[in-house]
Amino acid sequence: MRYRSDVGIILKKNQLLGDNILVTIFSLSKGKIILKAYGVKKMNSKRMAHLETGNYISFSSYQKDSYSTLTETDLIYGYSKIRKSSEKLAYLFTYLFVLNRVLPEDQPEESLFMNAKAFLKELNNSSTFVTNDLMRHFDELLFAAGYLSDEKRSRVDYDTMLFVEEVIGRKVSVSF
């Protein structure tokens, strides 16, 4: 058994049977990881509020054999201004969907992590965040991940969203 503490951004959650969920976290030191969180849907669970999509948390987990379990969480930042705006929430979920698709599992990506934190901070604090801002963050993400070159980005026929969809192999529904 191996215990670990880290910080990370909640990318997504999947419901499991009972009071359990599967949570995907983009952690600073390990990259994208998937952890089982037992009992978090119980009424007295303090962790459920920490595990909202887009939250920046500190957490502890342990790994035994081929599975990992989330044990403790603390909220570092909840980006409450994003949650007050349906438009900002749409930007958040679109960005996190693409980020989740781009990231490999169990591979540290510190520069991508810093890009994701910068996105969350800008989205939270900006009163004028628009689709062009999201496309700029997608460009930065794909460039830092090695999918996008300066040459490709500077071409006249370059379209950020089409390129994102090509990279992730799926259409991205954008409804802002």
Side-chain angles (χ1 to χ4, degrees):
M1 219 176 316
R2 202 174 86 211
Y3 288 90
R4 168 177 74 224
S5 293
D6 205 345
V7 295
I9 299 165
I10 306 297
L11 294 178
K12 75 177 206 174
K13 301 179 298 190
N14 291 34
Q15 303 299 320
L16 296 175
L17 293 176
D19 295 323
N20 311 316
I21 64 170
L22 205 57
V23 61
T24 304
I25 301 175
F26 182 20
S27 73
L28 176 61
S29 66
K30 193 83 165 124
K32 182 171 85 170
I33 56 174
I34 300 172
L35 304 170
K36 290 180 183 175
Y38 293 100
V40 295
K41 294 193 310 187
K42 290 181 180 176
M43 292 298 284
N44 60 349
S45 174
K46 297 175 185 173
R47 294 181 296 162
M48 189 58 179
H50 300 167
L51 298 177
E52 292 296 320
T53 304
N55 279 356
Y56 180 45
I57 64 169
S58 65
F59 65 95
S60 298
S61 63
Y62 72 88
Q63 183 173 356
K64 182 179 179 183
D65 301 324
S66 64
Y67 70 92
S68 297
T69 302
L70 182 68
T71 55
E72 295 180 31
T73 62
D74 281 311
L75 181 65
I76 296 173
Y77 204 80
Y79 302 101
S80 60
K81 293 176 191 171
I82 295 173
R83 300 187 195 299
K84 292 177 183 174
S85 163
S86 58
E87 188 173 281
K88 284 185 175 188
L89 275 173
Y91 288 129
L92 172 71
F93 289 127
T94 303
Y95 181 83
L96 294 178
F97 172 76
V98 171
L99 180 61
N100 185 44
R101 299 288 294 217
V102 168
L103 290 173
E105 258 185 72
D106 295 320
Q107 185 174 327
E109 296 283 357
E110 189 173 338
S111 66
L112 296 181
F113 187 83
M114 294 305 156
N115 283 353
K117 278 184 55 182
F119 166 79
L120 291 169
K121 184 177 181 180
E122 182 180 338
L123 180 61
N124 190 62
N125 296 330
S126 174
S127 59
T128 59
F129 197 91
V130 294
T131 304
N132 285 341
D133 295 319
L134 178 65
M135 295 306 119
R136 177 175 43 82
H137 280 282
F138 280 155
D139 280 344
E140 291 170 5
L141 169 67
L142 295 174
F143 186 78
Y147 290 102
L148 183 60
S149 65
D150 281 328
E151 179 187 334
K152 173 94 173 162
R153 192 169 25 186
S154 64
R155 290 180 43 188
V156 176
D157 62 342
Y158 173 71
D159 180 291
T160 301
M161 191 51 78
L162 289 176
F163 189 67
V164 165
E165 291 172 346
E166 182 182 315
V167 168
I168 67 171
R170 187 161 178 197
K171 182 120 176 87
V172 177
S173 62
V174 183
S175 55
F176 306 112

